[in-house]
Amino acid sequence: MRTVTIVGASLSGLYAARELRAQGFDGRLVIVGEEPHQPYDRPPLSKDFLVGRADESSLALTDADETAGLDAEWLLGVRARGLDARGRTVLLDDGRTVPTDGVVIATGAAARRLPGDGLAGVHTLRTLDDARALRADLARGSRAVVVIGGGFIGAETASSCARLGHTVTVVEAAPLPLLPQLGADMAAVCAALHRRSGVKLVTGTGVAALRGATTVTGIDLSDGRTLPADIVIVGIGAVPNTAWLTGSALVPHDGVLCDDGCVTALPQVVAVGDVARVGGVRAEHWTSATEQPRAAVTNLLAGRTLVTARTVPYFWSDQYDSRIQFTGRHREGDTVHITEGGITEDGLPGESGFLARYEREGRTVAVLGVDRPRAFLRARRELQRERRRDEHPGQGRRTPETAVL
């Protein structure tokens, strides 16, 4: 390959660029980014950046020396609008075309929106520009804030708004926040964290409509109630950025379909990060975005799948001064045991946090840690070792075709 184009100047796009150079690609490297910014770290947007403990310079993922070392052409502030049928040309919104031998799709995902969210005071939180606008709105004095969605982004944003002194209500359609991810027992602990910090939690109902003419004044709930609001933050998930692939040989299905090695139906096109459905799973987590590029680039340069990118899922979230860490895969019906620390009568983490193990058929399949980082790290490593033993019982007799990165 003489030219490789990375579509998406994201975390996963940057890691793909690093891997290309680290794995010996010395040809032309083009990085296309819809946003005008160099790659930046998104997790702080809902936390330290929103409360003013971090500035924009601290979000940067690269410095001048690394940017020079990558020797890439950065095409920022321009959107990709198409990929030709053979995957050999990337079409840009400004009319330019980028002929290429290989493509890394790293376009990520966009915040899911509600009808009528064009009202002033209604925000999503996905990009740096989103965070800038929300931070400016929150700085205008004490406000009534309604967060729609009790997932990780919603919970983290609610935590930050409460820290800033605003009156906060979280609306979650499920009976508990984070119920699908953690199960009922542990989701109840997260609900208790909201309540302890004075955040009102409204569950089991959705949003029927936003109120207001030009500026939001409240929301109508599907159960008939109305909540007043000066600011509404919509945190109801994300949609993978795949519309630009319409007409190409790739047929998106809630993401770009890939094999276990991040390779698409076109061997010269791979996908990584939030946009990639790898082996049937699309994982919107920082660890996936940083781990997948290694396998993806190896396979791209080889022209076929040599290695896979199967990893044990891992994510973390900071809410109300508590660090929540989870690894593995939870299913309804798993048995949950607290093996270290404990939970108080109020349903809150004990003074030293706790570690919980999810078991299925007598085996640990997932681990949750709240304010127990060292114990969680040990448990995560154990789970990873068990996963490797299950996949490679021969221990060392792996061939390149079955290697796991």
Side-chain angles (χ1 to χ4, degrees):
M1 292 188 173
R2 290 174 294 188
T3 300
V4 173
T5 301
I6 299 173
V7 185
S10 57
L11 175 69
S12 57
L14 174 63
Y15 270 70
R18 290 171 174 169
E19 282 294 335
L20 281 161
R21 294 309 190 203
Q23 294 189 32
F25 176 71
D26 59 2
R28 182 188 180 207
L29 177 57
V30 182
I31 302 175
V32 178
E34 179 179 351
E35 295 183 60
H37 317 292
Q38 290 277 342
Y40 58 88
D41 201 17
R42 295 183 191 274
L45 294 181
S46 58
K47 300 183 279 287
D48 287 351
F49 181 79
L50 201 58
V51 300
R53 292 190 302 201
D55 58 19
E56 293 185 19
S57 63
S58 68
L59 303 177
L61 291 171
T62 59
D63 56 26
D65 290 340
E66 181 181 23
T67 300
L70 288 175
D71 190 24
E73 298 176 36
W74 295 83
L75 306 181
L76 300 177
V78 61
R79 180 184 304 178
R81 67 173 178 84
L83 179 69
D84 76 334
R86 296 182 305 114
R88 300 290 188 181
T89 303
V90 176
L91 314 176
L92 305 182
D93 250 0
D94 61 7
R96 285 180 288 176
T97 60
V98 183
T100 190
D101 301 303
V103 176
V104 179
I105 298 173
T107 44
R112 193 182 299 275
R113 311 189 77 89
L114 286 175
D117 69 357
L119 294 172
V122 179
H123 299 265
T124 55
L125 186 54
R126 184 81 187 182
T127 68
L128 174 57
D129 291 338
D130 290 341
R132 285 172 171 170
L134 177 56
R135 190 163 79 164
D137 213 353
L138 291 169
R140 293 177 186 148
S142 181
R143 322 293 295 278
V145 177
V146 174
V147 178
I148 303 173
F152 293 110
I153 291 296
E156 291 171 0
T157 306
S159 173
S160 295
C161 291
R163 179 184 290 275
L164 290 169
H166 302 287
T167 302
V168 183
T169 302
V170 174
V171 177
E172 168 56 52
L176 288 166
L178 298 172
L179 183 61
Q181 295 87 350
L182 303 182
D185 292 342
M186 297 299 103
V189 176
C190 294
L193 290 175
H194 286 292
R195 289 192 291 266
R196 181 181 65 181
S197 298
V199 172
K200 184 179 180 181
L201 193 58
V202 177
T203 61
T205 185
V207 175
L210 298 173
R211 286 188 165 235
T214 58
T215 300
V216 71
T217 59
I219 64 170
D220 292 331
L221 300 179
S222 54
D223 63 7
R225 287 180 289 173
T226 296
L227 299 178
D230 302 310
I231 295 175
V232 172
I233 301 162
V234 181
I236 54 173
V239 180
N241 289 320
T242 57
W244 68 283
L245 295 169
T246 302
S248 72
L250 305 180
V251 181
H253 179 69
D254 186 33
V256 177
L257 299 178
C258 306
D259 65 12
D260 285 345
C262 304
V263 180
T264 71
L266 298 172
Q268 71 277 14
V269 180
V270 297
V272 293
D274 291 356
V275 74
R277 179 167 286 278
V278 179
V281 178
R282 190 170 68 85
E284 294 182 24
H285 301 306
W286 192 92
T287 45
S288 300
T290 57
E291 291 173 353
Q292 290 171 356
R294 184 181 173 198
V297 165
T298 297
N299 297 331
L300 177 66
L301 296 179
R304 62 194 179 104
T305 302
L306 293 180
V307 295
T308 62
R310 296 188 302 269
T311 57
V312 179
Y314 165 68
F315 58 80
W316 79 92
S317 179
D318 295 320
Q319 302 174 23
Y320 307 106
D321 295 322
S322 284
R323 166 60 63 96
I324 299 168
Q325 296 172 284
F326 186 89
T327 186
R329 292 184 173 89
H330 157 260
R331 293 181 192 168
E332 188 175 353
D334 289 346
T335 302
V336 184
H337 299 286
I338 295 178
T339 57
E340 296 185 32
I343 297 174
T344 69
E345 292 182 357
D346 296 330
L348 292 163
E351 186 176 345
S352 59
F354 67 86
L355 188 77
R357 295 177 182 269
Y358 294 68
E359 295 183 355
R360 187 185 315 143
E361 298 177 355
R363 300 189 61 184
T364 298
V365 294
V367 179
L368 170 70
V370 178
D371 298 328
R372 204 89 173 187
R374 292 184 179 177
F376 177 84
L377 179 59
R378 290 195 300 269
R380 183 187 178 197
R381 287 172 174 168
E382 290 172 10
L383 206 59
Q384 289 171 328
R385 284 194 294 268
E386 289 177 12
R387 167 72 175 268
R388 285 194 290 267
R389 282 196 296 267
D390 290 344
E391 293 184 343
H392 304 288
Q395 289 295 309
R397 294 186 297 184
R398 286 176 283 177
T399 66
E401 295 293 337
T402 60
V404 178
L405 291 181

